């Protein structure tokens, strides 16, 4: 019996690059999901709900697939930080975060579309920011333009220079897809990247 097709319910190039590291054949699909939080919805509940919602949205057109859904938010002192969307908002976010700890919550869902069974979890990761100067913040935003990134930085790029230290079990979660936990979920479905990977790795 052949394995179900693996679908990443995301068009994020960063999540795609992370999943490619496992060497498994997969396709991507764009989920149509309203990502606005519910009133007073905590960050953990939000990302878990949206990760599953994204997977189920894609299941409508891929009814036999195993679908990976993921969502991430950043928060500081319990306040959710959205994507800045522009230069001034990015400056303001980084000024707020400078010298403080920012917590990232990444929701992960693996949905068996055929049975409707979903496994969901939340992987936390904390970033301790340097005490940044206005010039450092302005220089970073001008160079990397992190306008579509929660917290206004890209840890896989120059954003690493903003950090004093990192705290968490899976650094991939900070980029948007907790691979360590995902491998465990895939193995529960009989898919082992160590023995079944089909894609050549560089």
């Amino acid at each position: 019996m052949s394995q179900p097709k693996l679908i990443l319910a995301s068009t994020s190039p960063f999540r795609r690059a992370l999943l490619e590291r496992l060497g498994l054949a997969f396709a991507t699909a764009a989920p149509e999901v309203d990502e606005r939080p519910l009133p007073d919805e905590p960050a953990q509940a939000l990302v878990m709900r949206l990760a599953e919602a994204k997977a189920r949205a894609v299941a409508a057109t891929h009814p036999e697939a195993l679908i990976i859904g993921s969502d991430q938010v950043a928060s500081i002192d319990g306040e959710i930080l959205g994507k800045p969307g522009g230069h001034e908002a990015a400056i303001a976010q980084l000024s707020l975060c400078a010298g403080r700890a920012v917590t990232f919550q990444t929701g992960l869902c693996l949905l068996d579309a055929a049975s409707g069974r979903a496994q969901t979890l939340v992987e936390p990761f904390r970033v301790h920011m340097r005490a940044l100067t206005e010039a450092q913040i302005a220089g970073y935003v001008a160079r990397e333009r992190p306008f579509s990134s929660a917290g206004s930085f890209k840890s896989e790029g120059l954003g690493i220079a903003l950090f004093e230290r990192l705290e968490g079990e899976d650094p991939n979660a900070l980029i948007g897809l907790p691979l360590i936990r995902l491998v465990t979920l895939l193995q529960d479905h009989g898919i082992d990247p160590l023995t079944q990977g089909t894609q050549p790795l560089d």
Side-chain angles (χ1 to χ4, degrees):
M1 184 175 178
S2 63
Q3 293 288 350
K5 186 176 183 180
L6 193 63
I7 305 287
L8 176 63
S10 174
T11 56
S12 163
F14 306 111
R15 288 195 177 102
R16 182 187 181 98
L18 284 173
L19 188 54
E20 285 174 345
R21 291 174 58 184
L22 299 184
L24 297 169
F26 70 95
T28 61
E32 296 294 330
V33 171
D34 183 349
E35 298 188 21
R36 290 175 295 183
L38 301 175
D40 301 319
E41 186 174 27
Q44 283 193 334
L46 171 64
V47 296
M48 187 176 292
R49 176 176 65 82
L50 290 181
E52 183 170 349
K54 290 177 180 180
R56 292 197 181 277
V58 169
T61 52
H62 297 83
E64 301 299 323
L66 271 180
I67 303 171
I68 301 165
S70 187
D71 191 76
Q72 183 186 72
V73 299
S75 63
I76 187 165
D77 294 336
E79 179 183 348
I80 292 176
L81 302 174
K83 298 174 182 178
H87 184 90
E88 295 302 322
I91 294 286
Q93 273 197 354
L94 287 173
S95 298
L96 174 68
C97 295
R100 303 169 72 184
V102 181
T103 300
F104 284 79
Q105 306 286 356
T106 303
L108 177 66
C109 174
L110 185 63
L111 171 67
D112 183 341
S115 69
R117 175 175 175 250
Q119 295 168 277
T120 58
L121 59 90
V122 176
E123 183 75 13
F125 201 90
R126 181 168 289 189
V127 171
H128 296 265
M129 306 287 286
R130 296 182 187 275
L132 303 164
T133 66
E134 290 184 9
Q136 287 174 322
I137 292 171
Y140 172 73
V141 170
R143 288 176 64 186
E144 193 147 73
R145 299 173 59 85
F147 306 144
S148 62
S149 301
S152 298
F153 58 78
K154 299 176 183 177
S155 61
E156 64 278 8
L158 180 61
I160 197 70
L162 303 172
F163 308 154
E164 191 170 77
R165 64 186 176 93
L166 305 176
E167 181 183 350
E169 295 185 3
D170 187 349
N172 302 292
L174 182 58
I175 303 174
L177 191 64
L179 291 182
I180 293 174
R181 301 292 294 276
L182 176 60
V183 167
T184 300
L185 296 183
L186 289 171
Q187 288 174 337
D188 288 345
H189 283 271
I191 299 175
D192 187 350
L194 294 173
T195 61
Q196 295 169 276
T198 61
Q199 303 301 305
L201 300 176
D202 294 333

